[in-house]
Amino acid sequence: MEIKSINAAMLKKMFLAGAANLEAKKEWINELNVFPVPDGDTGTNMSMTILSAAKEVDALANPDIKALAKAISSGSLRGARGNSGVILSQLFRGFTKVIAEYDVITVPVMARALEKATETAYKAVMKPKEGTILTVAKGAALKGMELAEQTTDLVAFSEAVIKEADRVLAKTPDMLPVLKQAGVVDSGGQGLVEVLRGALMALKGKEISFSYVPESKEAPIGAQASSYIDAQANQEIKFAYCTQFLVMLEKPFSEKKEREFKSYLEEIGDSIVVVADDEIVKVHVHTNDPGLAMQKGLMYGSLTTIIIENMKLERDEKISAMKEKEMQNVTSQAEPEQTSGGPKKEMGFVAVSIGEGLNEIFRGLGADYIIEGGQTMNPSTEDVLFAVSSVNAEHVFILPNNKNIILAANQAAALCEDKKIIVIPTKTIPQGITALVNYIPDQSPKENESHMNAELALVKTGQVTYAIRDTEIDGRQIHQGDYMGIGDTSILSAGTDKKAVTMEMIEQMIDEESSLVSIYYGEEAKEEEAMTVSGLITAKYPDLEVEVHAGGQPIYYYIISVE
């Protein structure tokens, strides 16, 4: 089948198919996240970003390419969540800048669009890192420019571009040691490949249905909850067992053997990941017979780190918990819309936070609007813009309080036209609190921005959570269920004793300049436990001041700052 041009109708099908394929693979992509913490969200962020654009595209009846380009660009920009989602939106932005000038898309147009997409995305990231979605996009674009002089067939062109993107993706562990240690490819790059793969399926004539489902942070309330739970219970799980293992190679694992292994796994399951280097092969597959996958793996070497999870059982347990929650009628209601009343002021604050205690701390320090979110739910660019519109101030400071939200905040700043947005690049909750503490009303916005940014460097943050899988990272062997103390740039401690892990983390954070330790305990921690940790710190470091606060945050037992 040879196709030499794509019209608007076909482009619409391709984009929606790409969105549908990414949505279908998002949980698998989430599992590729390097850190084994229970908040993997790359797939979710990318999916929600593209679905925001897909909603607008799906609503267009008989559009031309210019209208489609506008819907894709504006929808993805406003819906962008997390670093991976923002980069994906920038790829779409660059791509659509080129195609918007044409009535049909040919191979040369497609090649230039891929090149522009990559250029735009690289410019959007302050310090581009290779071995990421950017590298995969660049590989696809370079292949596209090469092929533009060799073929006029868009099918052949697209197949070769995706093959190259897959090849570059497989090499990302060689570019980022942290990926190699964890035995995974880059999750953002995998997400991009799935978008391209879905689009190609539509180009080749495969019908892929797309239906927009509005996002929901929680299950619906009241009468709608029952139908939601029933829908979840009736959702088909084609392959029941999530199977993961490592093959310790006993003989060379050639590219031919890798292709054969993948083909075999495709016969018995889906959601397949096979990542190989000279010594080990990392295998992930959803299947109804884990034994078959492992028997095949034994042909190449011995097996280790075997994890088999019954996804049907996990689904049933989740449904049971949801029903119990419904019966107890404790489903939380959405917070009322926040507004900043009174006369317009010069400066206001928007903070990203989650947990009743932390939210109250930010409000008490002067935050005008709290965006509920963080590690488990990165707010979108549009969420940030809405928050800014709700603050009656000429200059609005945004405190992202998470490194994965800074790009979305910056994107909101670029899109906002009626107010001056100042993003303070806070990467953690304690940094956000420090920024607000150091706000001086009598100073100008520029002076406050400079002062708050300077204070961020004085704050060290540690967070205690648990591992959701076995891995090796930062030179540490970590097992599923272990507690982990995560610092600003690395894992500082790990083990089976939560108190010991917490203290080891804190001891690595404290130095001669330290004067204050603040402990924010989460919804899964008790005040008595936090007070015990406080007592241990005071006993070992009698000159330090120690504060304990109820944070109420999910995922993390403790968020701890040292200043």
Side-chain angles (χ1 to χ4, degrees), residues 421-485:
I421 296 180
I422 302 170
V423 178
I424 305 298
T426 52
K427 296 180 179 179
T428 65
I429 288 289
Q431 282 192 342
I433 291 172
T434 294
L436 271 174
V437 166
N438 285 279
Y439 167 64
I440 303 174
D442 293 339
Q443 290 189 346
S444 69
K446 192 69 178 175
E447 288 171 327
N448 270 300
E449 178 183 10
S450 177
H451 181 56
M452 286 188 282
N453 278 325
E455 292 297 318
L456 300 187
L458 304 179
V459 184
K460 298 176 185 177
T461 302
Q463 302 177 97
V464 178
T465 185
Y466 61 93
I468 58 171
R469 65 171 185 270
D470 292 354
T471 191
E472 180 182 343
I473 193 165
D474 295 333
R476 295 176 179 271
Q477 290 288 342
I478 298 172
H479 303 287
Q480 183 178 5
D482 279 356
Y483 297 105
M484 297 183 298

Coordinates of all heavy atoms in Angstrom, one line a residue, residues 421-485:
I421 N 3.0 36.8 35.6 CA 3.2 35.6 36.3 C 4.7 35.4 36.6 O 5.5 35.5 35.7 CB 2.7 34.3 35.6 CG1 1.2 34.4 35.5 CG2 3.1 33.1 36.4 CD1 0.6 33.2 34.8
I422 N 5.0 35.2 37.8 CA 6.4 34.9 38.3 C 6.5 33.5 38.8 O 5.9 33.2 39.9 CB 6.9 35.9 39.3 CG1 6.7 37.4 38.7 CG2 8.3 35.7 39.7 CD1 7.0 38.5 39.8
V423 N 7.2 32.6 38.2 CA 7.4 31.3 38.7 C 8.6 31.2 39.5 O 9.7 31.4 39.1 CB 7.5 30.3 37.5 CG1 7.7 28.8 38.0 CG2 6.2 30.3 36.6
I424 N 8.4 30.8 40.8 CA 9.5 30.5 41.7 C 9.8 29.0 41.6 O 8.9 28.3 41.9 CB 9.2 30.9 43.1 CG1 8.8 32.4 43.2 CG2 10.4 30.7 44.0 CD1 9.9 33.4 42.8
P425 N 10.9 28.6 41.1 CA 11.1 27.2 40.7 C 11.3 26.3 41.9 O 12.3 25.6 42.1 CB 12.3 27.2 39.8 CG 13.1 28.3 40.3 CD 12.1 29.4 40.7
T426 N 10.3 26.2 42.8 CA 10.3 25.4 44.0 C 10.1 23.9 43.6 O 9.1 23.6 43.0 CB 9.3 25.8 45.0 OG1 8.0 25.9 44.4 CG2 9.6 27.2 45.6
K427 N 11.0 23.1 44.0 CA 11.0 21.7 43.6 C 10.4 20.8 44.7 O 10.1 19.6 44.4 CB 12.4 21.2 43.3 CG 13.0 21.9 42.1 CD 14.4 21.3 41.8 CE 15.0 22.0 40.6 NZ 16.4 21.5 40.3
T428 N 10.2 21.3 45.9 CA 9.6 20.6 47.0 C 8.7 21.4 47.8 O 8.7 22.7 47.8 CB 10.8 20.0 47.9 OG1 11.4 21.1 48.6 CG2 11.8 19.2 47.1
I429 N 7.9 20.8 48.6 CA 7.0 21.5 49.6 C 7.8 22.4 50.5 O 7.4 23.6 50.7 CB 6.1 20.5 50.3 CG1 5.1 19.9 49.4 CG2 5.4 21.2 51.5 CD1 3.9 20.8 49.0
P430 N 8.8 21.9 51.2 CA 9.6 22.8 52.0 C 10.2 24.0 51.3 O 10.2 25.1 51.9 CB 10.7 21.9 52.6 CG 10.1 20.5 52.6 CD 9.3 20.5 51.3
Q431 N 10.6 23.9 50.1 CA 11.1 25.1 49.4 C 9.9 26.1 49.2 O 10.1 27.3 49.3 CB 11.6 24.7 48.0 CG 13.0 24.1 48.1 CD 13.7 23.9 46.7 OE1 13.0 24.0 45.7 NE2 15.0 23.8 46.7
G432 N 8.7 25.6 48.9 CA 7.6 26.5 48.7 C 7.3 27.2 50.0 O 6.9 28.4 50.0
I433 N 7.3 26.5 51.1 CA 7.1 27.1 52.4 C 8.1 28.2 52.7 O 7.8 29.3 53.2 CB 7.1 26.1 53.6 CG1 5.8 25.2 53.4 CG2 7.1 26.7 54.9 CD1 5.8 24.0 54.3
T434 N 9.4 27.9 52.4 CA 10.5 28.8 52.6 C 10.3 30.1 51.8 O 10.5 31.2 52.2 CB 11.8 28.2 52.3 OG1 12.1 27.2 53.3 CG2 13.0 29.2 52.4
A435 N 9.8 29.9 50.5 CA 9.6 31.0 49.7 C 8.6 32.0 50.3 O 8.8 33.2 50.3 CB 9.2 30.6 48.3
L436 N 7.5 31.4 50.7 CA 6.4 32.3 51.3 C 6.9 32.9 52.6 O 6.5 34.1 52.9 CB 5.2 31.4 51.6 CG 4.2 31.3 50.4 CD1 3.0 30.4 50.8 CD2 3.6 32.7 50.1
V437 N 7.6 32.2 53.4 CA 8.1 32.8 54.7 C 9.0 34.0 54.4 O 9.0 35.0 55.2 CB 8.9 31.7 55.5 CG1 9.7 32.3 56.6 CG2 8.0 30.6 56.1
N438 N 9.7 34.0 53.3 CA 10.6 35.0 53.0 C 10.0 36.1 52.1 O 10.8 37.0 51.6 CB 11.9 34.5 52.4 CG 12.8 33.8 53.4 OD1 13.5 34.4 54.1 ND2 12.7 32.4 53.5
Y439 N 8.7 36.1 51.9 CA 8.1 37.1 51.1 C 8.0 38.4 51.9 O 7.6 38.4 53.1 CB 6.7 36.7 50.7 CG 5.8 37.8 50.2 CD1 6.1 38.5 49.0 CD2 4.6 38.1 50.9 CE1 5.2 39.5 48.6 CE2 3.8 39.1 50.4 CZ 4.1 39.8 49.3 OH 3.3 40.8 48.8
I440 N 8.3 39.5 51.4 CA 8.3 40.8 52.1 C 7.4 41.8 51.3 O 7.7 42.2 50.2 CB 9.7 41.4 52.1 CG1 10.7 40.4 52.8 CG2 9.7 42.8 52.9 CD1 12.1 40.9 52.8
P441 N 6.2 42.0 51.9 CA 5.2 42.8 51.2 C 5.7 44.2 50.7 O 5.2 44.7 49.7 CB 4.0 43.0 52.2 CG 4.2 41.8 53.1 CD 5.7 41.6 53.2
D442 N 6.6 44.8 51.5 CA 7.0 46.2 51.1 C 8.0 46.2 50.0 O 8.3 47.3 49.4 CB 7.7 46.8 52.4 CG 6.7 47.1 53.5 OD1 5.5 47.2 53.2 OD2 7.1 47.2 54.6
Q443 N 8.5 45.0 49.6 CA 9.4 45.0 48.4 C 8.7 44.9 47.1 O 7.6 44.4 47.1 CB 10.5 43.9 48.6 CG 11.4 44.1 49.8 CD 12.6 43.0 49.8 OE1 12.5 42.0 49.1 NE2 13.6 43.3 50.5
S444 N 9.4 45.2 46.0 CA 8.8 45.0 44.7 C 8.7 43.6 44.3 O 9.4 42.7 44.9 CB 9.6 45.8 43.7 OG 10.9 45.1 43.5
P445 N 7.9 43.3 43.3 CA 7.8 41.9 42.8 C 9.2 41.4 42.4 O 9.6 40.2 42.7 CB 6.9 42.0 41.6 CG 6.0 43.1 41.9 CD 6.9 44.1 42.6
K446 N 10.0 42.2 41.7 CA 11.3 41.8 41.3 C 12.2 41.5 42.5 O 13.0 40.5 42.5 CB 11.9 42.9 40.4 CG 13.2 42.5 39.6 CD 12.8 41.5 38.6 CE 14.1 41.1 37.7 NZ 13.7 40.0 36.8
E447 N 12.2 42.4 43.5 CA 13.0 42.2 44.7 C 12.6 40.9 45.4 O 13.5 40.1 45.9 CB 12.9 43.4 45.6 CG 13.6 44.6 45.1 CD 13.3 45.8 45.9 OE1 12.1 45.9 46.4 OE2 14.2 46.7 46.0
N448 N 11.3 40.6 45.5 CA 10.8 39.4 46.2 C 11.2 38.2 45.4 O 11.6 37.2 46.0 CB 9.3 39.4 46.3 CG 8.9 40.1 47.6 OD1 9.2 39.6 48.7 ND2 8.1 41.2 47.6
E449 N 11.1 38.2 44.1 CA 11.5 37.1 43.2 C 13.0 36.8 43.5 O 13.4 35.6 43.7 CB 11.3 37.4 41.8 CG 11.8 36.3 40.8 CD 11.6 36.7 39.3 OE1 11.4 37.8 39.0 OE2 11.8 35.8 38.5
S450 N 13.9 37.8 43.5 CA 15.3 37.6 43.7 C 15.6 37.0 45.1 O 16.3 36.1 45.3 CB 16.0 38.9 43.5 OG 17.4 38.7 43.8
H451 N 14.9 37.6 46.1 CA 15.1 37.2 47.5 C 14.6 35.7 47.7 O 15.3 34.9 48.3 CB 14.4 38.1 48.4 CG 14.5 37.8 49.9 ND1 15.8 37.8 50.5 CD2 13.6 37.6 50.8 CE1 15.6 37.5 51.7 NE2 14.3 37.4 52.0
M452 N 13.5 35.4 47.2 CA 12.9 34.1 47.4 C 13.8 33.0 46.7 O 14.0 31.9 47.3 CB 11.5 34.0 46.9 CG 10.5 34.7 47.9 SD 8.8 34.4 47.5 CE 8.6 35.6 46.1
N453 N 14.2 33.3 45.5 CA 15.0 32.4 44.8 C 16.3 32.1 45.5 O 16.8 30.9 45.5 CB 15.3 32.9 43.3 CG 14.2 32.6 42.4 OD1 13.6 31.6 42.5 ND2 14.0 33.5 41.4
A454 N 16.9 33.1 46.1 CA 18.2 33.0 46.8 C 18.0 32.1 48.0 O 18.9 31.3 48.4 CB 18.7 34.3 47.3
E455 N 16.8 32.1 48.7 CA 16.6 31.3 49.9 C 16.4 29.9 49.6 O 16.6 29.0 50.5 CB 15.3 31.9 50.6 CG 15.5 33.3 51.2 CD 16.6 33.3 52.3 OE1 16.6 32.3 53.1 OE2 17.4 34.2 52.4
L456 N 15.9 29.5 48.4 CA 15.7 28.1 48.1 C 16.9 27.2 48.2 O 16.8 26.1 48.6 CB 15.1 28.0 46.6 CG 13.8 28.7 46.3 CD1 13.4 28.4 44.9 CD2 12.8 28.4 47.3
A457 N 18.1 27.8 47.9 CA 19.3 27.0 48.0 C 19.7 26.6 49.4 O 20.5 25.7 49.6 CB 20.4 27.8 47.4
L458 N 19.0 27.3 50.4 CA 19.4 27.0 51.8 C 18.5 25.9 52.4 O 18.7 25.5 53.5 CB 19.2 28.3 52.6 CG 20.0 29.5 52.1 CD1 19.7 30.7 53.0 CD2 21.5 29.2 52.1
V459 N 17.6 25.3 51.6 CA 16.7 24.3 52.1 C 17.0 22.9 51.5 O 17.2 22.8 50.3 CB 15.2 24.6 51.7 CG1 14.3 23.6 52.3 CG2 14.9 26.0 52.1
K460 N 17.2 21.9 52.4 CA 17.4 20.6 52.0 C 16.1 19.8 52.3 O 15.5 20.0 53.3 CB 18.5 19.9 52.7 CG 19.9 20.5 52.5 CD 20.9 19.8 53.3 CE 22.3 20.5 53.2 NZ 23.3 19.9 54.1
T461 N 15.7 19.0 51.4 CA 14.4 18.2 51.5 C 14.7 16.7 51.5 O 15.4 16.2 50.6 CB 13.4 18.6 50.4 OG1 13.1 20.0 50.5 CG2 12.1 17.8 50.7
G462 N 14.0 16.0 52.4 CA 14.1 14.5 52.4 C 12.6 14.0 52.5 O 11.8 14.6 53.1
Q463 N 12.4 12.9 51.8 CA 11.0 12.3 51.8 C 11.1 10.8 52.0 O 11.9 10.2 51.4 CB 10.3 12.7 50.5 CG 10.2 14.2 50.2 CD 9.6 14.5 48.9 OE1 8.4 14.8 48.8 NE2 10.4 14.4 47.8
V464 N 10.3 10.3 52.9 CA 10.3 8.9 53.2 C 9.0 8.2 52.6 O 7.9 8.6 52.9 CB 10.3 8.6 54.7 CG1 10.3 7.2 55.0 CG2 11.6 9.3 55.3
T465 N 9.3 7.2 51.8 CA 8.2 6.5 51.2 C 8.6 5.0 51.1 O 9.5 4.6 51.8 CB 7.8 7.0 49.8 OG1 6.6 6.4 49.2 CG2 8.9 6.9 48.8
Y466 N 7.9 4.2 50.2 CA 8.2 2.8 50.1 C 8.4 2.4 48.7 O 8.0 3.1 47.7 CB 7.1 1.9 50.7 CG 5.8 2.1 50.1 CD1 5.4 1.2 49.0 CD2 4.9 3.1 50.5 CE1 4.1 1.4 48.4 CE2 3.6 3.2 49.9 CZ 3.3 2.4 48.8 OH 2.0 2.6 48.2
A467 N 9.1 1.3 48.4 CA 9.5 0.9 47.1 C 8.4 -0.1 46.6 O 7.9 -0.9 47.3 CB 10.8 0.2 47.0
I468 N 8.0 0.1 45.3 CA 6.9 -0.7 44.7 C 7.5 -1.9 43.9 O 6.8 -2.7 43.4 CB 6.0 0.1 43.8 CG1 6.7 0.8 42.7 CG2 5.2 1.1 44.7 CD1 5.8 1.5 41.7
R469 N 8.8 -1.9 43.8 CA 9.5 -3.0 43.0 C 10.9 -3.1 43.4 O 11.5 -2.2 44.0 CB 9.3 -2.8 41.5 CG 10.1 -1.6 41.0 CD 10.1 -1.6 39.5 NE 11.0 -0.5 39.0 CZ 10.6 0.7 38.7 NH1 9.3 1.0 38.9 NH2 11.4 1.6 38.3
D470 N 11.5 -4.2 43.1 CA 13.0 -4.4 43.3 C 13.7 -3.6 42.3 O 13.3 -3.5 41.1 CB 13.4 -5.9 43.1 CG 12.9 -6.8 44.2 OD1 12.3 -6.2 45.2 OD2 13.0 -8.0 44.1
T471 N 14.8 -3.0 42.7 CA 15.7 -2.2 41.7 C 17.0 -2.0 42.4 O 17.3 -2.2 43.5 CB 15.0 -0.9 41.3 OG1 15.7 -0.3 40.2 CG2 15.1 0.1 42.5
E472 N 17.9 -1.5 41.5 CA 19.2 -1.0 42.0 C 19.4 0.4 41.5 O 19.3 0.7 40.3 CB 20.4 -1.9 41.5 CG 21.7 -1.4 42.0 CD 22.9 -2.2 41.4 OE1 22.7 -3.3 40.9 OE2 24.0 -1.7 41.5
I473 N 19.6 1.3 42.4 CA 19.7 2.7 42.0 C 20.6 3.5 43.0 O 20.6 3.1 44.2 CB 18.3 3.4 42.0 CG1 18.4 4.7 41.2 CG2 17.6 3.5 43.3 CD1 17.0 5.3 40.8
D474 N 21.4 4.4 42.5 CA 22.3 5.1 43.3 C 23.2 4.1 44.1 O 23.6 4.4 45.3 CB 21.6 6.1 44.3 CG 20.9 7.2 43.6 OD1 21.3 7.5 42.5 OD2 19.9 7.7 44.1
G475 N 23.5 3.0 43.5 CA 24.4 2.0 44.1 C 23.8 1.2 45.2 O 24.4 0.5 46.0
R476 N 22.4 1.3 45.4 CA 21.7 0.6 46.5 C 20.9 -0.5 45.9 O 20.2 -0.3 44.9 CB 20.9 1.6 47.3 CG 21.7 2.6 48.0 CD 20.7 3.6 48.7 NE 21.4 4.6 49.5 CZ 21.8 4.5 50.7 NH1 21.5 3.4 51.4 NH2 22.4 5.5 51.4
Q477 N 20.9 -1.6 46.6 CA 19.9 -2.7 46.2 C 18.6 -2.4 47.0 O 18.7 -2.4 48.3 CB 20.5 -4.1 46.6 CG 21.7 -4.5 45.7 CD 21.2 -4.9 44.3 OE1 20.0 -5.2 44.1 NE2 22.1 -4.9 43.4
I478 N 17.6 -2.2 46.3 CA 16.3 -1.9 47.0 C 15.3 -3.0 46.7 O 15.2 -3.4 45.5 CB 15.8 -0.5 46.6 CG1 16.8 0.6 47.0 CG2 14.4 -0.2 47.2 CD1 16.5 2.0 46.4
H479 N 14.6 -3.4 47.7 CA 13.6 -4.5 47.5 C 12.2 -4.0 47.6 O 11.9 -3.0 48.3 CB 13.8 -5.7 48.5 CG 15.2 -6.2 48.4 ND1 15.6 -7.0 47.3 CD2 16.3 -6.1 49.2 CE1 16.9 -7.3 47.5 NE2 17.3 -6.8 48.6
Q480 N 11.3 -4.6 46.9 CA 9.9 -4.2 47.0 C 9.4 -4.2 48.4 O 9.6 -5.1 49.2 CB 9.0 -5.2 46.2 CG 7.5 -4.8 46.2 CD 6.7 -5.8 45.3 OE1 7.2 -6.8 44.8 NE2 5.4 -5.5 45.1
G481 N 8.8 -3.1 48.9 CA 8.3 -3.0 50.2 C 9.3 -2.3 51.2 O 8.9 -1.9 52.3
D482 N 10.5 -2.1 50.7 CA 11.5 -1.4 51.5 C 11.1 0.1 51.7 O 10.4 0.7 50.9 CB 12.9 -1.4 50.9 CG 13.6 -2.7 51.1 OD1 13.1 -3.6 51.8 OD2 14.7 -2.8 50.6
Y483 N 11.5 0.6 52.8 CA 11.3 2.1 53.0 C 12.5 2.8 52.4 O 13.6 2.2 52.3 CB 11.3 2.4 54.5 CG 10.1 1.9 55.2 CD1 10.2 0.8 56.1 CD2 8.8 2.4 55.1 CE1 9.1 0.2 56.7 CE2 7.7 1.8 55.7 CZ 7.9 0.7 56.5 OH 6.8 0.2 57.2
M484 N 12.3 4.0 51.8 CA 13.3 4.7 51.2 C 13.3 6.2 51.7 O 12.3 6.8 51.8 CB 13.2 4.7 49.7 CG 13.2 3.4 49.0 SD 13.1 3.6 47.2 CE 11.4 4.3 47.0
G485 N 14.5 6.7 51.9 CA 14.7 8.1 52.2 C 15.3 8.8 51.0 O 16.4 8.5 50.6

